Amino acid sequence: MEELLMQMTPITLEEMSGVKLMNRIDTKFVTTMPRLVQLLSMAREDYFVQDIGGERNMLYDTTYFDTSDFDMYKEHQRGHAGRQKLRFRTYVSSNLQFLEIKTKNNRGRTKKKRIEVGDMDLTDTAKRDFIAQKLKYDVDTLVPHTHNYFRRITLVNRQKTERLTIDTQLQFNNLVTGKSLDMGPLVIVELKRDGLVSSPVLGMLLNLRIHPHGFSKYCMGAALTNPGLPVNRFKQKLRDVERILR
């Protein structure tokens, strides 16, 4: 995989500035490492790969906050429109941390708002003001629930109209139960584009029999590491994940 990444044309963060896609349509796919190697081989002529200081497979560190009653998780589990997530994400390679709020509306669009921060202290005025403006939950009800690490490859198509993120080496740590889980060969691919524009990778995924499959790292991580949470809507996804991990 690393050899294939080094064969691809690099793109810098500055060159990617026009591909932020903060209001977008996301499509996720779940696969395994052998299929990922095939996909990268097929995509190398049609996509740039993000490069930061010579690194093309970046480490991400994320902590998700929710209410003490898991209200955000439960809204996702019930499939409610307008559901939200709040996370602190550290982009380790670029030494940046953001407080991010994601909202998914009833038309399937995901809107992400974020501010750069230096820590996860929710007594800070700037963070509290941001949360009060963007999140429908009271900041004083929020506590950290799950934490994850993963490696991310980011591809950008030649027209710079979409991003493809590829997450590997995913690990969950539940801050409530103390349970940790290594997801082994699991790979999460996410296509992010501004509307249903043409995408070269969709044909490649179809050829590899990799089909759309929802996977929320917060919800799946919480469900897999906290047996006290409801999982009715996630049962099939959890079974699919178990099948991959066997």
Side-chain angles (χ1 to χ4, degrees):
M1 184 182 75
E2 297 297 333
E3 184 178 339
L4 284 170
L5 291 177
M6 295 309 298
Q7 292 172 5
M8 299 179 74
T9 305
I11 187 169
T12 65
L13 279 174
E14 292 75 18
E15 292 170 327
M16 286 178 58
S17 60
V19 203
K20 292 179 180 176
L21 303 177
M22 303 298 274
N23 180 6
R24 69 200 187 211
I25 291 177
D26 298 342
T27 310
K28 292 183 181 179
F29 306 81
V30 177
T31 187
T32 60
M33 288 298 295
R35 287 286 178 88
L36 171 58
V37 171
Q38 291 178 283
L39 179 64
L40 289 174
S41 181
M42 295 167 70
R44 58 186 170 182
E45 299 300 326
D46 294 293
Y47 286 84
F48 302 108
V49 62
Q50 179 182 283
D51 185 294
I52 300 177
E55 189 173 357
R56 301 185 179 190
N57 193 8
M58 319 295 180
L59 179 61
Y60 282 47
D61 179 340
T62 309
T63 300
Y64 287 90
F65 280 61
D66 202 336
T67 69
S68 55
D69 291 329
F70 298 91
D71 290 321
M72 292 186 223
Y73 171 89
K74 289 174 181 176
E75 282 214 339
H76 281 71
Q77 205 275 140
R78 296 175 187 133
H80 286 183
R83 56 191 184 267
Q84 294 185 294
K85 295 176 191 170
L86 185 149
R87 69 191 182 198
F88 285 87
R89 172 161 286 176
T90 302
Y91 299 78
V92 178
S93 299
S94 51
N95 196 30
L96 294 172
Q97 184 181 50
F98 291 91
L99 165 57
E100 302 180 343
I101 295 174
K102 294 177 72 175
T103 303
K104 190 162 188 176
N105 66 23
N106 58 5
R107 296 184 298 278
R109 278 192 173 268
T110 300
K111 293 185 179 181
K112 183 169 76 172
K113 301 292 182 181
R114 69 182 187 177
I115 56 170
E116 188 173 349
V117 297
D119 55 47
M120 295 191 291
D121 180 9
L122 289 185
T123 64
D124 175 72
T125 301
K127 297 189 194 77
R128 293 178 70 87
D129 289 346
F130 175 73
I131 291 170
Q133 293 170 16
K134 307 298 182 186
L135 193 74
K136 60 186 178 183
Y137 302 96
D138 186 339
V139 63
D140 291 320
T141 68
L142 302 177
V143 292
H145 277 285
T146 65
H147 176 257
N148 65 51
Y149 289 103
F150 58 90
R151 291 274 176 182
R152 171 167 287 183
I153 300 161
T154 300
L155 306 184
V156 178
N157 67 335
R158 296 283 175 171
Q159 294 73 35
K160 298 182 181 178
T161 58
E162 68 179 39
R163 281 189 288 119
L164 191 72
T165 60
I166 302 167
D167 298 342
T168 64
Q169 301 178 40
L170 178 60
Q171 298 178 51
F172 293 122
N173 177 29
N174 195 300
L175 303 175
V176 177
T177 66
K179 183 177 179 180
S180 297
L181 184 63
D182 188 326
M183 301 304 289
L186 188 81
V187 175
I188 305 165
V189 178
E190 185 168 9
L191 175 60
K192 306 173 183 184
R193 48 188 172 151
D194 188 6
L196 297 175
V197 296
S198 176
S199 170
V201 81
L202 287 176
M204 302 173 197
L205 290 163
L206 182 63
N207 286 340
L208 292 171
R209 297 182 181 178
I210 302 173
H211 304 291
H213 190 289
F215 190 103
S216 160
K217 282 189 281 294
Y218 172 51
C219 293
M220 291 294 101
L224 287 164
T225 57
N226 187 340
L229 292 176
V231 297
N232 293 343
R233 190 178 176 87
F234 298 147
K235 281 183 178 178
Q236 184 58 53
K237 292 177 183 178
L238 292 169
R239 282 195 289 265
D240 293 342
V241 169
E242 289 172 2
R243 201 159 42 239
I244 289 173
L245 294 179
R246 287 192 192 121

